[in-house]
Amino acid sequence: MASPSARRLRFCAFGGTGAKAGRLPSFEPGDLAGVLPPGSPMPRFYSLASSARDGVLEICVRLREGGLCSTFLHALAPGDLIQAFVRENLAFRPTRGNAPLILIGAGAGIGPLAGFVRANQACRPVHLYWGGRSAASDFLYERELARHLAEKRLTSLRTAFSRGPDGGAYVQDRIAADAPRLRELIRQGAQILVCGGREMAQAVTHALDPVVQPLGLDLAVLKSSGRYVEDVY
């Protein structure tokens, strides 16, 4: 099996002093964990895949060549400690209500999207599109998402692997293929949440433009109304 390009990491408690020592702060999926790698005063931010109710702080980290923080985090062993803090990210949250959610991501961007699915106890319609390199090494949430499909927390899952046996595909290819279904979901008031790299996000916007145009909409209008939100890096 190929070495994974991303890793799920879970941390159980924060240190400190006083009454809050050893306790997790309050946070939701999509909030940010700022991690201070050894020898650096500048934090690196990772979108959270968990809420405080899960009892763990969970992030998904892509290993970047020469990356100081990602190399440090990928080398962690159980029981190791890190310096980190949580920052609220209210701009990247599902809206309340029962309108459908369309979640789109690639690579480590699966983290907060999987967290949104996990938190969907009301079983509102949620459709997840996610792209990775290889199903054999990168599909970190495969078992959990299969369980959420059975529980109805996740309505549908469409994956794309750039190194797949069919010659490879990307998440924007799945969006283009599903244009009629996505158009109907958007007509019903769906909110779209996108997480991942900037190149992926740009490709997604190009794929979605012809989806929304027949509705008399564009992505700028959806963004201004909070129906299209991004967490990109």
PDB file of all heavy atoms in Angstrom, residues 51-89:
ATOM      1  N   SER A  51     -16.025  18.146  17.050  1.00  0.00           N
ATOM      2  CA  SER A  51     -16.526  19.141  17.990  1.00  0.00           C
ATOM      3  C   SER A  51     -16.080  18.731  19.385  1.00  0.00           C
ATOM      4  O   SER A  51     -15.650  17.591  19.608  1.00  0.00           O
ATOM      5  CB  SER A  51     -18.049  19.228  17.929  1.00  0.00           C
ATOM      6  OG  SER A  51     -18.635  18.075  18.505  1.00  0.00           O
ATOM      7  N   ALA A  52     -16.195  19.652  20.316  1.00  0.00           N
ATOM      8  CA  ALA A  52     -15.816  19.327  21.687  1.00  0.00           C
ATOM      9  C   ALA A  52     -16.654  18.179  22.228  1.00  0.00           C
ATOM     10  O   ALA A  52     -16.207  17.416  23.098  1.00  0.00           O
ATOM     11  CB  ALA A  52     -15.962  20.564  22.569  1.00  0.00           C
ATOM     12  N   ARG A  53     -17.866  18.005  21.709  1.00  0.00           N
ATOM     13  CA  ARG A  53     -18.735  16.915  22.158  1.00  0.00           C
ATOM     14  C   ARG A  53     -18.155  15.541  21.825  1.00  0.00           C
ATOM     15  O   ARG A  53     -18.502  14.541  22.463  1.00  0.00           O
ATOM     16  CB  ARG A  53     -20.129  17.059  21.537  1.00  0.00           C
ATOM     17  CG  ARG A  53     -20.893  18.290  21.990  1.00  0.00           C
ATOM     18  CD  ARG A  53     -22.272  18.335  21.357  1.00  0.00           C
ATOM     19  NE  ARG A  53     -22.213  18.441  19.904  1.00  0.00           N
ATOM     20  CZ  ARG A  53     -22.068  19.581  19.251  1.00  0.00           C
ATOM     21  NH1 ARG A  53     -21.949  20.724  19.908  1.00  0.00           N
ATOM     22  NH2 ARG A  53     -22.034  19.592  17.918  1.00  0.00           N
ATOM     23  N   ASP A  54     -17.292  15.485  20.816  1.00  0.00           N
ATOM     24  CA  ASP A  54     -16.664  14.213  20.462  1.00  0.00           C
ATOM     25  C   ASP A  54     -15.588  13.797  21.460  1.00  0.00           C
ATOM     26  O   ASP A  54     -15.123  12.652  21.440  1.00  0.00           O
ATOM     27  CB  ASP A  54     -16.040  14.296  19.057  1.00  0.00           C
ATOM     28  CG  ASP A  54     -17.079  14.545  17.972  1.00  0.00           C
ATOM     29  OD1 ASP A  54     -18.170  13.952  18.062  1.00  0.00           O
ATOM     30  OD2 ASP A  54     -16.796  15.322  17.048  1.00  0.00           O
ATOM     31  N   GLY A  55     -15.161  14.730  22.288  1.00  0.00           N
ATOM     32  CA  GLY A  55     -14.152  14.408  23.303  1.00  0.00           C
ATOM     33  C   GLY A  55     -12.731  14.416  22.789  1.00  0.00           C
ATOM     34  O   GLY A  55     -11.795  14.091  23.544  1.00  0.00           O
ATOM     35  N   VAL A  56     -12.526  14.762  21.528  1.00  0.00           N
ATOM     36  CA  VAL A  56     -11.185  14.841  20.955  1.00  0.00           C
ATOM     37  C   VAL A  56     -11.104  16.048  20.036  1.00  0.00           C
ATOM     38  O   VAL A  56     -12.114  16.515  19.501  1.00  0.00           O
ATOM     39  CB  VAL A  56     -10.804  13.571  20.152  1.00  0.00           C
ATOM     40  CG1 VAL A  56     -10.696  12.365  21.061  1.00  0.00           C
ATOM     41  CG2 VAL A  56     -11.793  13.318  19.024  1.00  0.00           C
ATOM     42  N   LEU A  57      -9.888  16.542  19.859  1.00  0.00           N
ATOM     43  CA  LEU A  57      -9.610  17.551  18.853  1.00  0.00           C
ATOM     44  C   LEU A  57      -8.992  16.816  17.672  1.00  0.00           C
ATOM     45  O   LEU A  57      -7.913  16.234  17.784  1.00  0.00           O
ATOM     46  CB  LEU A  57      -8.654  18.607  19.408  1.00  0.00           C
ATOM     47  CG  LEU A  57      -8.348  19.814  18.512  1.00  0.00           C
ATOM     48  CD1 LEU A  57      -8.050  21.046  19.371  1.00  0.00           C
ATOM     49  CD2 LEU A  57      -7.181  19.547  17.578  1.00  0.00           C
ATOM     50  N   GLU A  58      -9.701  16.800  16.536  1.00  0.00           N
ATOM     51  CA  GLU A  58      -9.275  16.002  15.388  1.00  0.00           C
ATOM     52  C   GLU A  58      -8.992  16.889  14.188  1.00  0.00           C
ATOM     53  O   GLU A  58      -9.795  17.742  13.829  1.00  0.00           O
ATOM     54  CB  GLU A  58     -10.355  14.986  15.024  1.00  0.00           C
ATOM     55  CG  GLU A  58      -9.996  14.106  13.848  1.00  0.00           C
ATOM     56  CD  GLU A  58     -11.079  13.094  13.519  1.00  0.00           C
ATOM     57  OE1 GLU A  58     -11.913  12.804  14.404  1.00  0.00           O
ATOM     58  OE2 GLU A  58     -11.103  12.608  12.375  1.00  0.00           O
ATOM     59  N   ILE A  59      -7.820  16.678  13.585  1.00  0.00           N
ATOM     60  CA  ILE A  59      -7.463  17.387  12.359  1.00  0.00           C
ATOM     61  C   ILE A  59      -6.967  16.377  11.331  1.00  0.00           C
ATOM     62  O   ILE A  59      -6.574  15.261  11.673  1.00  0.00           O
ATOM     63  CB  ILE A  59      -6.375  18.457  12.604  1.00  0.00           C
ATOM     64  CG1 ILE A  59      -5.124  17.831  13.238  1.00  0.00           C
ATOM     65  CG2 ILE A  59      -6.920  19.588  13.453  1.00  0.00           C
ATOM     66  CD1 ILE A  59      -3.980  18.819  13.436  1.00  0.00           C
ATOM     67  N   CYS A  60      -7.012  16.773  10.080  1.00  0.00           N
ATOM     68  CA  CYS A  60      -6.503  15.964   8.979  1.00  0.00           C
ATOM     69  C   CYS A  60      -5.373  16.762   8.340  1.00  0.00           C
ATOM     70  O   CYS A  60      -5.588  17.894   7.897  1.00  0.00           O
ATOM     71  CB  CYS A  60      -7.620  15.672   7.979  1.00  0.00           C
ATOM     72  SG  CYS A  60      -7.170  14.500   6.692  1.00  0.00           S
ATOM     73  N   VAL A  61      -4.163  16.192   8.297  1.00  0.00           N
ATOM     74  CA  VAL A  61      -2.970  16.928   7.902  1.00  0.00           C
ATOM     75  C   VAL A  61      -2.336  16.295   6.677  1.00  0.00           C
ATOM     76  O   VAL A  61      -1.986  15.106   6.696  1.00  0.00           O
ATOM     77  CB  VAL A  61      -1.938  16.972   9.047  1.00  0.00           C
ATOM     78  CG1 VAL A  61      -0.704  17.770   8.619  1.00  0.00           C
ATOM     79  CG2 VAL A  61      -2.555  17.571  10.299  1.00  0.00           C
ATOM     80  N   ARG A  62      -2.180  17.078   5.631  1.00  0.00           N
ATOM     81  CA  ARG A  62      -1.463  16.623   4.437  1.00  0.00           C
ATOM     82  C   ARG A  62       0.031  16.810   4.644  1.00  0.00           C
ATOM     83  O   ARG A  62       0.475  17.873   5.082  1.00  0.00           O
ATOM     84  CB  ARG A  62      -1.930  17.405   3.214  1.00  0.00           C
ATOM     85  CG  ARG A  62      -1.181  17.029   1.932  1.00  0.00           C
ATOM     86  CD  ARG A  62      -1.607  17.889   0.770  1.00  0.00           C
ATOM     87  NE  ARG A  62      -0.829  17.597  -0.423  1.00  0.00           N
ATOM     88  CZ  ARG A  62      -0.899  18.287  -1.545  1.00  0.00           C
ATOM     89  NH1 ARG A  62      -1.736  19.305  -1.636  1.00  0.00           N
ATOM     90  NH2 ARG A  62      -0.152  17.976  -2.585  1.00  0.00           N
ATOM     91  N   LEU A  63       0.806  15.805   4.338  1.00  0.00           N
ATOM     92  CA  LEU A  63       2.261  15.884   4.434  1.00  0.00           C
ATOM     93  C   LEU A  63       2.795  16.644   3.231  1.00  0.00           C
ATOM     94  O   LEU A  63       2.646  16.210   2.089  1.00  0.00           O
ATOM     95  CB  LEU A  63       2.874  14.487   4.486  1.00  0.00           C
ATOM     96  CG  LEU A  63       4.395  14.416   4.582  1.00  0.00           C
ATOM     97  CD1 LEU A  63       4.889  15.110   5.856  1.00  0.00           C
ATOM     98  CD2 LEU A  63       4.882  12.972   4.534  1.00  0.00           C
ATOM     99  N   ARG A  64       3.406  17.796   3.495  1.00  0.00           N
ATOM    100  CA  ARG A  64       3.970  18.618   2.433  1.00  0.00           C
ATOM    101  C   ARG A  64       5.495  18.492   2.449  1.00  0.00           C
ATOM    102  O   ARG A  64       6.110  18.572   3.510  1.00  0.00           O
ATOM    103  CB  ARG A  64       3.554  20.082   2.612  1.00  0.00           C
ATOM    104  CG  ARG A  64       2.057  20.296   2.516  1.00  0.00           C
ATOM    105  CD  ARG A  64       1.684  21.762   2.642  1.00  0.00           C
ATOM    106  NE  ARG A  64       0.258  21.972   2.519  1.00  0.00           N
ATOM    107  CZ  ARG A  64      -0.374  22.106   1.366  1.00  0.00           C
ATOM    108  NH1 ARG A  64       0.305  22.062   0.242  1.00  0.00           N
ATOM    109  NH2 ARG A  64      -1.682  22.290   1.330  1.00  0.00           N
ATOM    110  N   GLU A  65       6.070  18.332   1.284  1.00  0.00           N
ATOM    111  CA  GLU A  65       7.525  18.204   1.197  1.00  0.00           C
ATOM    112  C   GLU A  65       8.189  19.453   1.748  1.00  0.00           C
ATOM    113  O   GLU A  65       7.933  20.572   1.293  1.00  0.00           O
ATOM    114  CB  GLU A  65       7.943  17.984  -0.257  1.00  0.00           C
ATOM    115  CG  GLU A  65       9.437  17.727  -0.419  1.00  0.00           C
ATOM    116  CD  GLU A  65       9.813  17.425  -1.850  1.00  0.00           C
ATOM    117  OE1 GLU A  65       8.896  17.328  -2.703  1.00  0.00           O
ATOM    118  OE2 GLU A  65      11.021  17.284  -2.121  1.00  0.00           O
ATOM    119  N   GLY A  66       9.044  19.277   2.769  1.00  0.00           N
ATOM    120  CA  GLY A  66       9.714  20.403   3.393  1.00  0.00           C
ATOM    121  C   GLY A  66       8.845  21.182   4.348  1.00  0.00           C
ATOM    122  O   GLY A  66       9.296  22.197   4.899  1.00  0.00           O
ATOM    123  N   GLY A  67       7.609  20.732   4.568  1.00  0.00           N
ATOM    124  CA  GLY A  67       6.707  21.448   5.466  1.00  0.00           C
ATOM    125  C   GLY A  67       7.088  21.239   6.925  1.00  0.00           C
ATOM    126  O   GLY A  67       7.070  20.109   7.415  1.00  0.00           O
ATOM    127  N   LEU A  68       7.425  22.304   7.628  1.00  0.00           N
ATOM    128  CA  LEU A  68       7.888  22.193   9.009  1.00  0.00           C
ATOM    129  C   LEU A  68       6.820  21.589   9.903  1.00  0.00           C
ATOM    130  O   LEU A  68       7.067  20.642  10.652  1.00  0.00           O
ATOM    131  CB  LEU A  68       8.293  23.579   9.531  1.00  0.00           C
ATOM    132  CG  LEU A  68       8.741  23.649  10.996  1.00  0.00           C
ATOM    133  CD1 LEU A  68      10.008  22.839  11.201  1.00  0.00           C
ATOM    134  CD2 LEU A  68       8.964  25.109  11.412  1.00  0.00           C
ATOM    135  N   CYS A  69       5.596  22.103   9.825  1.00  0.00           N
ATOM    136  CA  CYS A  69       4.548  21.656  10.747  1.00  0.00           C
ATOM    137  C   CYS A  69       3.978  20.304  10.333  1.00  0.00           C
ATOM    138  O   CYS A  69       3.770  19.430  11.178  1.00  0.00           O
ATOM    139  CB  CYS A  69       3.435  22.698  10.826  1.00  0.00           C
ATOM    140  SG  CYS A  69       2.319  22.455  12.235  1.00  0.00           S
ATOM    141  N   SER A  70       3.727  20.114   9.042  1.00  0.00           N
ATOM    142  CA  SER A  70       3.148  18.839   8.618  1.00  0.00           C
ATOM    143  C   SER A  70       4.122  17.686   8.863  1.00  0.00           C
ATOM    144  O   SER A  70       3.710  16.588   9.254  1.00  0.00           O
ATOM    145  CB  SER A  70       2.740  18.889   7.152  1.00  0.00           C
ATOM    146  OG  SER A  70       3.851  19.010   6.293  1.00  0.00           O
ATOM    147  N   THR A  71       5.424  17.919   8.678  1.00  0.00           N
ATOM    148  CA  THR A  71       6.422  16.885   8.967  1.00  0.00           C
ATOM    149  C   THR A  71       6.426  16.550  10.454  1.00  0.00           C
ATOM    150  O   THR A  71       6.482  15.375  10.844  1.00  0.00           O
ATOM    151  CB  THR A  71       7.817  17.346   8.521  1.00  0.00           C
ATOM    152  OG1 THR A  71       7.798  17.602   7.114  1.00  0.00           O
ATOM    153  CG2 THR A  71       8.863  16.285   8.823  1.00  0.00           C
ATOM    154  N   PHE A  72       6.350  17.588  11.285  1.00  0.00           N
ATOM    155  CA  PHE A  72       6.302  17.384  12.738  1.00  0.00           C
ATOM    156  C   PHE A  72       5.060  16.590  13.136  1.00  0.00           C
ATOM    157  O   PHE A  72       5.144  15.615  13.897  1.00  0.00           O
ATOM    158  CB  PHE A  72       6.313  18.749  13.425  1.00  0.00           C
ATOM    159  CG  PHE A  72       5.874  18.737  14.861  1.00  0.00           C
ATOM    160  CD1 PHE A  72       6.619  18.085  15.836  1.00  0.00           C
ATOM    161  CD2 PHE A  72       4.694  19.378  15.239  1.00  0.00           C
ATOM    162  CE1 PHE A  72       6.209  18.073  17.163  1.00  0.00           C
ATOM    163  CE2 PHE A  72       4.276  19.373  16.558  1.00  0.00           C
ATOM    164  CZ  PHE A  72       5.041  18.722  17.527  1.00  0.00           C
ATOM    165  N   LEU A  73       3.907  16.948  12.594  1.00  0.00           N
ATOM    166  CA  LEU A  73       2.670  16.281  12.980  1.00  0.00           C
ATOM    167  C   LEU A  73       2.614  14.841  12.470  1.00  0.00           C
ATOM    168  O   LEU A  73       2.125  13.949  13.169  1.00  0.00           O
ATOM    169  CB  LEU A  73       1.468  17.076  12.458  1.00  0.00           C
ATOM    170  CG  LEU A  73       1.216  18.419  13.148  1.00  0.00           C
ATOM    171  CD1 LEU A  73       0.139  19.214  12.411  1.00  0.00           C
ATOM    172  CD2 LEU A  73       0.822  18.228  14.607  1.00  0.00           C
ATOM    173  N   HIS A  74       3.127  14.590  11.285  1.00  0.00           N
ATOM    174  CA  HIS A  74       3.117  13.222  10.753  1.00  0.00           C
ATOM    175  C   HIS A  74       4.052  12.310  11.533  1.00  0.00           C
ATOM    176  O   HIS A  74       3.879  11.086  11.516  1.00  0.00           O
ATOM    177  CB  HIS A  74       3.499  13.232   9.273  1.00  0.00           C
ATOM    178  CG  HIS A  74       2.329  13.349   8.357  1.00  0.00           C
ATOM    179  ND1 HIS A  74       1.903  12.331   7.534  1.00  0.00           N
ATOM    180  CD2 HIS A  74       1.459  14.378   8.150  1.00  0.00           C
ATOM    181  CE1 HIS A  74       0.843  12.727   6.855  1.00  0.00           C
ATOM    182  NE2 HIS A  74       0.555  13.962   7.207  1.00  0.00           N
ATOM    183  N   ALA A  75       5.045  12.888  12.210  1.00  0.00           N
ATOM    184  CA  ALA A  75       6.004  12.082  12.972  1.00  0.00           C
ATOM    185  C   ALA A  75       5.559  11.827  14.402  1.00  0.00           C
ATOM    186  O   ALA A  75       6.237  11.100  15.140  1.00  0.00           O
ATOM    187  CB  ALA A  75       7.373  12.768  12.966  1.00  0.00           C
ATOM    188  N   LEU A  76       4.418  12.388  14.822  1.00  0.00           N
ATOM    189  CA  LEU A  76       3.969  12.219  16.199  1.00  0.00           C
ATOM    190  C   LEU A  76       3.625  10.762  16.496  1.00  0.00           C
ATOM    191  O   LEU A  76       3.109  10.040  15.647  1.00  0.00           O
ATOM    192  CB  LEU A  76       2.737  13.083  16.468  1.00  0.00           C
ATOM    193  CG  LEU A  76       2.949  14.598  16.547  1.00  0.00           C
ATOM    194  CD1 LEU A  76       1.614  15.303  16.680  1.00  0.00           C
ATOM    195  CD2 LEU A  76       3.872  14.969  17.706  1.00  0.00           C
ATOM    196  N   ALA A  77       3.890  10.371  17.727  1.00  0.00           N
ATOM    197  CA  ALA A  77       3.517   9.045  18.217  1.00  0.00           C
ATOM    198  C   ALA A  77       2.507   9.226  19.345  1.00  0.00           C
ATOM    199  O   ALA A  77       2.401  10.305  19.940  1.00  0.00           O
ATOM    200  CB  ALA A  77       4.748   8.303  18.728  1.00  0.00           C
ATOM    201  N   PRO A  78       1.713   8.183  19.671  1.00  0.00           N
ATOM    202  CA  PRO A  78       0.768   8.294  20.781  1.00  0.00           C
ATOM    203  C   PRO A  78       1.450   8.763  22.058  1.00  0.00           C
ATOM    204  O   PRO A  78       2.510   8.264  22.433  1.00  0.00           O
ATOM    205  CB  PRO A  78       0.233   6.861  20.926  1.00  0.00           C
ATOM    206  CG  PRO A  78       0.362   6.281  19.549  1.00  0.00           C
ATOM    207  CD  PRO A  78       1.621   6.861  18.994  1.00  0.00           C
ATOM    208  N   GLY A  79       0.835   9.754  22.704  1.00  0.00           N
ATOM    209  CA  GLY A  79       1.381  10.296  23.939  1.00  0.00           C
ATOM    210  C   GLY A  79       2.226  11.533  23.754  1.00  0.00           C
ATOM    211  O   GLY A  79       2.537  12.222  24.734  1.00  0.00           O
ATOM    212  N   ASP A  80       2.623  11.845  22.513  1.00  0.00           N
ATOM    213  CA  ASP A  80       3.385  13.064  22.266  1.00  0.00           C
ATOM    214  C   ASP A  80       2.513  14.294  22.492  1.00  0.00           C
ATOM    215  O   ASP A  80       1.286  14.238  22.373  1.00  0.00           O
ATOM    216  CB  ASP A  80       3.925  13.080  20.832  1.00  0.00           C
ATOM    217  CG  ASP A  80       5.071  12.106  20.622  1.00  0.00           C
ATOM    218  OD1 ASP A  80       5.614  11.612  21.640  1.00  0.00           O
ATOM    219  OD2 ASP A  80       5.422  11.837  19.453  1.00  0.00           O
ATOM    220  N   LEU A  81       3.159  15.408  22.806  1.00  0.00           N
ATOM    221  CA  LEU A  81       2.466  16.660  23.098  1.00  0.00           C
ATOM    222  C   LEU A  81       2.735  17.681  22.010  1.00  0.00           C
ATOM    223  O   LEU A  81       3.788  17.665  21.364  1.00  0.00           O
ATOM    224  CB  LEU A  81       2.925  17.220  24.448  1.00  0.00           C
ATOM    225  CG  LEU A  81       2.717  16.327  25.681  1.00  0.00           C
ATOM    226  CD1 LEU A  81       3.289  17.003  26.919  1.00  0.00           C
ATOM    227  CD2 LEU A  81       1.243  16.012  25.867  1.00  0.00           C
ATOM    228  N   ILE A  82       1.768  18.566  21.804  1.00  0.00           N
ATOM    229  CA  ILE A  82       1.948  19.687  20.894  1.00  0.00           C
ATOM    230  C   ILE A  82       1.477  20.957  21.587  1.00  0.00           C
ATOM    231  O   ILE A  82       0.734  20.913  22.574  1.00  0.00           O
ATOM    232  CB  ILE A  82       1.156  19.499  19.580  1.00  0.00           C
ATOM    233  CG1 ILE A  82      -0.355  19.515  19.845  1.00  0.00           C
ATOM    234  CG2 ILE A  82       1.581  18.220  18.865  1.00  0.00           C
ATOM    235  CD1 ILE A  82      -1.197  19.609  18.578  1.00  0.00           C
ATOM    236  N   GLN A  83       1.922  22.102  21.071  1.00  0.00           N
ATOM    237  CA  GLN A  83       1.399  23.397  21.496  1.00  0.00           C
ATOM    238  C   GLN A  83       0.352  23.834  20.474  1.00  0.00           C
ATOM    239  O   GLN A  83       0.656  23.940  19.280  1.00  0.00           O
ATOM    240  CB  GLN A  83       2.516  24.443  21.572  1.00  0.00           C
ATOM    241  CG  GLN A  83       3.454  24.264  22.749  1.00  0.00           C
ATOM    242  CD  GLN A  83       4.449  25.414  22.830  1.00  0.00           C
ATOM    243  OE1 GLN A  83       5.392  25.496  22.049  1.00  0.00           O
ATOM    244  NE2 GLN A  83       4.215  26.313  23.766  1.00  0.00           N
ATOM    245  N   ALA A  84      -0.855  24.073  20.943  1.00  0.00           N
ATOM    246  CA  ALA A  84      -1.935  24.398  20.023  1.00  0.00           C
ATOM    247  C   ALA A  84      -3.007  25.210  20.725  1.00  0.00           C
ATOM    248  O   ALA A  84      -3.084  25.251  21.953  1.00  0.00           O
ATOM    249  CB  ALA A  84      -2.546  23.114  19.445  1.00  0.00           C
ATOM    250  N   PHE A  85      -3.830  25.858  19.920  1.00  0.00           N
ATOM    251  CA  PHE A  85      -4.968  26.617  20.437  1.00  0.00           C
ATOM    252  C   PHE A  85      -6.082  26.538  19.408  1.00  0.00           C
ATOM    253  O   PHE A  85      -5.862  26.148  18.251  1.00  0.00           O
ATOM    254  CB  PHE A  85      -4.583  28.075  20.711  1.00  0.00           C
ATOM    255  CG  PHE A  85      -4.068  28.819  19.515  1.00  0.00           C
ATOM    256  CD1 PHE A  85      -4.928  29.562  18.696  1.00  0.00           C
ATOM    257  CD2 PHE A  85      -2.723  28.777  19.179  1.00  0.00           C
ATOM    258  CE1 PHE A  85      -4.462  30.233  17.592  1.00  0.00           C
ATOM    259  CE2 PHE A  85      -2.241  29.462  18.055  1.00  0.00           C
ATOM    260  CZ  PHE A  85      -3.102  30.190  17.263  1.00  0.00           C
ATOM    261  N   VAL A  86      -7.286  26.912  19.807  1.00  0.00           N
ATOM    262  CA  VAL A  86      -8.454  26.862  18.932  1.00  0.00           C
ATOM    263  C   VAL A  86      -8.918  28.273  18.606  1.00  0.00           C
ATOM    264  O   VAL A  86      -8.950  29.149  19.475  1.00  0.00           O
ATOM    265  CB  VAL A  86      -9.601  26.068  19.600  1.00  0.00           C
ATOM    266  CG1 VAL A  86     -10.898  26.226  18.821  1.00  0.00           C
ATOM    267  CG2 VAL A  86      -9.232  24.599  19.709  1.00  0.00           C
ATOM    268  N   ARG A  87      -9.257  28.480  17.328  1.00  0.00           N
ATOM    269  CA  ARG A  87      -9.806  29.761  16.886  1.00  0.00           C
ATOM    270  C   ARG A  87     -11.165  29.507  16.225  1.00  0.00           C
ATOM    271  O   ARG A  87     -11.288  28.667  15.338  1.00  0.00           O
ATOM    272  CB  ARG A  87      -8.855  30.437  15.888  1.00  0.00           C
ATOM    273  CG  ARG A  87      -9.402  31.752  15.317  1.00  0.00           C
ATOM    274  CD  ARG A  87      -8.381  32.422  14.435  1.00  0.00           C
ATOM    275  NE  ARG A  87      -7.227  32.893  15.196  1.00  0.00           N
ATOM    276  CZ  ARG A  87      -6.153  33.456  14.650  1.00  0.00           C
ATOM    277  NH1 ARG A  87      -6.086  33.598  13.333  1.00  0.00           N
ATOM    278  NH2 ARG A  87      -5.167  33.876  15.410  1.00  0.00           N
ATOM    279  N   GLU A  88     -12.161  30.246  16.668  1.00  0.00           N
ATOM    280  CA  GLU A  88     -13.507  30.115  16.101  1.00  0.00           C
ATOM    281  C   GLU A  88     -13.511  30.552  14.639  1.00  0.00           C
ATOM    282  O   GLU A  88     -12.809  31.488  14.255  1.00  0.00           O
ATOM    283  CB  GLU A  88     -14.472  30.973  16.915  1.00  0.00           C
ATOM    284  CG  GLU A  88     -15.934  30.649  16.716  1.00  0.00           C
ATOM    285  CD  GLU A  88     -16.810  31.433  17.679  1.00  0.00           C
ATOM    286  OE1 GLU A  88     -16.663  32.675  17.742  1.00  0.00           O
ATOM    287  OE2 GLU A  88     -17.637  30.814  18.373  1.00  0.00           O
ATOM    288  N   ASN A  89     -14.300  29.853  13.821  1.00  0.00           N
ATOM    289  CA  ASN A  89     -14.399  30.166  12.389  1.00  0.00           C
ATOM    290  C   ASN A  89     -15.866  30.137  11.977  1.00  0.00           C
ATOM    291  O   ASN A  89     -16.325  29.244  11.275  1.00  0.00           O
ATOM    292  CB  ASN A  89     -13.575  29.161  11.571  1.00  0.00           C
ATOM    293  CG  ASN A  89     -13.520  29.525  10.095  1.00  0.00           C
ATOM    294  OD1 ASN A  89     -13.749  30.673   9.716  1.00  0.00           O
ATOM    295  ND2 ASN A  89     -13.201  28.555   9.261  1.00  0.00           N
TER     296      ASN A  89
END
